[in-house]
């Protein structure tokens, strides 16, 4: 593939998979598992896959597919594929007024992110290289990982199952207003081996006073980080006040968007672990650039992700390409929209995630097993 090739086909698919029990966070419950996958194809037949964030709002998945159909397809079809980062910037600029007019900055960013992932997948597939090797020839073939999505009320049993699967690090969701959350986390930390780590994620569920109280309560356990203890858009002064009050590192980034804002947060210095979500903002173009800036600044890049198979593959490839001591987030709640994909996955001995040697993201198609969960589909072609 060269710069003379152009996009001739765009497809978007939304899926909804029933689950036996809701996935709960401090701000809401997921009653099913949604995913939006996007496929782009060029005039030479080469194709690529991406994923668009669709967890929230509850009706968001089908909306993202319609957004691709009605607003973005006209801006994508016919575009060259030689420089995905330039197309990412162009789409962001072209849709800025539409996003402001509709108050939908997030949905536009998310759709552009998924399209960008797909174009990079196509570019790496055409080169015959895994995406990480296209981005960085020295990328490793395995990366550290941690088990995520563990509700504090079910943590003991879920950590035990994740340990059996090979994980050595675990992230527990807190911020539900329970009085004894710090004590529960302390007990969990006390039951770990010397090789294991526990993290906590409040999903913006505390105010500043509550966050400081929680951190004081778990200080003895030295948990690996506290993620999003307060709202992501809280004043810098609140974040700084929290950071200097504790020896426990703070983490965040899934609800930050834009190179300028990420770079501003890096300079502020209150986050040790920064967690861009490639399916929410940036795709490969934005997250690879900001990931390198994070590592250069002496912080740790840990991609956030809680979705389907293409998204976790993209997150893993990005982490390997960026480098540093960061870990891959792996949701351990049931989700066939992720588990049906043929991903190498976790190594039971090392706790590392093994990456595919196949070109691109390592996933060439949507698994047949999940077709019954298809809820909406569009296809746009050059006519």
């Amino acid at each position: 593939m060269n710069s003379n090739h152009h996009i001739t086909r765009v497809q978007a698919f939304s899926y909804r998979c029933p689950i036996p029990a809701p996935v709960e966070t401090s701000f809401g419950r997921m009653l099913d598992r949604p995913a939006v996958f996007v496929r782009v194809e060029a005039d030479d037949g080469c194709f690529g896959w991406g994923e668009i964030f669709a967890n929230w709002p509850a009706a968001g998945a089908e909306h993202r597919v319609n957004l691709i159909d009605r607003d973005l397809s006209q801006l994508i079809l016919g575009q060259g594929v030689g420089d995905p980062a330039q197309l990412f910037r162009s789409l962001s600029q072209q849709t800025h007024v539409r996003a402001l007019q509709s108050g939908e900055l997030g949905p536009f960013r998310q759709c552009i992110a998924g399209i960008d992932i797909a174009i990079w997948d196509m570019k790496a597939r055409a080169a015959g290289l895994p995406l990480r090797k296209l981005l960085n020839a020295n990328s490793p073939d395995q990366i550290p990982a941690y088990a995520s999505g563990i509700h504090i009320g079910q943590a003991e049993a879920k950590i035990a199952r994740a340990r059996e699967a090979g994980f050595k690090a675990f992230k527990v969701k807190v911020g539900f207003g329970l009085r004894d959350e710090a004590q529960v986390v302390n007990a969990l930390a006390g039951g770990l081996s010397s090789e294991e780590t526990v993290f906590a994620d409040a999903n913006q569920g505390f105010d500043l006073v509550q966050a400081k109280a929680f951190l004081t309560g778990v200080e003895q356990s030295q948990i690996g980080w506290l993620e999003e203890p307060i709202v992501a858009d809280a004043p810098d002064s609140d974040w700084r006040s929290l950071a200097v009050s504790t020896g426990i590192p703070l983490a965040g980034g899934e609800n930050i968007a834009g190179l300028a804002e990420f770079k501003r947060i890096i300079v502020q210095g209150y986050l040790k672990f920064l967690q861009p979500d490639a399916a929410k903002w940036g795709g490969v173009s934005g997250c690879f650039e900001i990931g390198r800036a994070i590592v250069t600044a002496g912080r740790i890049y840990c991609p956030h992700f809680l979705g389907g198979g293409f998204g976790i593959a993209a997150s893993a490839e990005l982490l390997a390409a960026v480098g540093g001591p960061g870990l891959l987030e792996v949701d351990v709640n049931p989700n066939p929209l992720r588990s049906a994909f043929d991903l190498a996955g976790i190594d039971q001995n090392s706790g590392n995630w093994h990456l595919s040697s196949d070109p691109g993201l390592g996933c060439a198609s949507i698994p047949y097993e999940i077709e019954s969960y298809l809820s909406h589909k569009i296809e746009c072609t050059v006519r």
Side-chain angles (χ1 to χ4, degrees):
M1 173 176 291
N2 58 50
S3 58
N4 295 323
H5 289 291
H6 297 81
I7 297 170
T8 56
R9 188 181 190 193
V10 179
Q11 297 169 288
F13 311 79
S14 65
Y15 291 83
R16 289 200 175 273
C17 177
I19 49 178
V23 177
E24 295 192 55
T25 71
S26 61
F27 61 84
R29 306 165 82 220
M30 295 173 62
L31 302 179
D32 57 23
R33 297 307 299 263
V36 175
F37 303 137
V38 60
R39 183 183 185 274
V40 297
E41 185 175 325
D43 48 16
D44 64 345
C46 194
F47 64 89
W49 287 96
E51 182 165 346
I52 297 165
F53 174 84
N55 291 343
W56 307 100
E62 293 77 13
H63 170 59
R64 304 304 187 269
V65 173
N66 286 328
L67 197 57
I68 295 280
D69 184 18
R70 299 295 187 92
D71 281 86
L72 284 161
S73 63
Q74 60 186 288
L75 303 177
I76 300 165
L77 292 171
Q79 294 297 315
V81 296
D83 186 353
Q86 174 56 39
L87 181 54
F88 170 77
R89 291 189 293 270
S90 175
L91 289 174
S92 299
Q93 292 166 359
Q94 288 178 283
T95 58
H96 183 64
V97 172
R98 297 188 197 193
L100 287 176
Q101 185 72 22
S102 59
E104 296 211 343
L105 290 167
F108 275 95
R109 288 168 175 162
Q110 293 151 19
C111 289
I112 293 169
I115 291 162
D116 182 82
I117 293 170
I119 294 171
W120 275 103
D121 179 43
M122 178 167 58
K123 188 176 179 71
R125 192 180 301 280
L129 294 170
L131 176 58
R132 65 187 183 278
K133 297 294 185 181
L134 179 68
L135 296 170
N136 177 359
N138 297 317
S139 297
D141 295 326
Q142 56 180 290
I143 49 177
Y146 69 93
S148 178
I150 300 172
H151 189 285
I152 190 170
Q154 305 152 357
E156 190 172 353
K158 285 198 170 185
I159 286 176
R161 287 196 293 272
R163 181 182 289 118
E164 289 178 3
F167 289 97
K168 298 183 184 300
F170 318 93
K171 188 170 77 178
V172 177
K173 289 190 174 294
V174 298
F176 296 96
L178 305 176
R179 280 184 167 186
D180 60 348
E181 284 186 336
Q183 288 78 4
V184 173
V185 171
N186 286 333
L188 294 170
L192 300 180
S193 74
S194 59
E195 296 180 338
E196 295 177 330
T197 306
V198 65
F199 308 109
D201 182 1
N203 286 118
Q204 310 180 81
F206 296 140
D207 62 26
L208 183 59
V209 172
Q210 293 168 330
K212 287 183 176 180
F214 178 84
L215 285 164
T216 299
V218 298
E219 194 83 39
Q220 68 189 59
S221 299
Q222 285 298 302
I223 63 175
W225 71 57
L226 176 59
E227 183 174 334
E228 287 200 322
I230 56 179
V231 291
D233 61 354
D236 288 335
S237 57
D238 285 1
W239 280 98
R240 281 194 297 270
S241 174
L242 192 58
V244 300
S245 74
T246 180
I248 293 171
L250 303 183
E254 67 186 271
N255 292 307
I256 299 172
L259 291 169
E261 183 62 7
F262 267 108
K263 289 178 179 178
R264 189 189 70 79
I265 297 296
I266 291 171
V267 170
Q268 290 294 319
Y270 44 71
L271 296 181
K272 179 176 180 180
F273 296 88
L274 285 103
Q275 305 164 311
D277 187 320
K280 290 187 82 170
W281 169 82
V284 174
S285 295
C287 289
F288 183 60
E289 181 175 348
I290 204 62
R292 290 189 297 178
I294 291 166
V295 172
T296 299
R299 309 295 196 283
I300 299 175
Y301 168 62
C302 286
H304 173 272
F305 187 70
L306 205 76
F310 291 119
I312 193 170
S315 298
E317 294 292 318
L318 274 164
L319 178 57
V322 168
L327 298 88
L328 178 70
E329 179 169 22
V330 182
D331 175 25
V332 293
N333 292 297
N335 187 1
L337 304 180
R338 178 194 67 249
S339 58
F341 283 74
D342 186 21
L343 303 171
I346 198 79
D347 179 85
Q348 288 197 330
N349 295 318
S350 67
N352 288 337
W353 183 270
H354 283 274
L355 294 111
S356 174
S357 59
D358 292 339
L361 299 179
C363 313
S365 62
I366 296 176
Y368 175 77
E369 303 95 290
I370 70 171
E371 284 306 303
S372 62
Y373 305 130
L374 182 65
S375 66
H376 191 33
K377 172 186 175 182
I378 64 97
E379 178 174 329
C380 311
T381 60
V382 171
R383 291 179 174 84

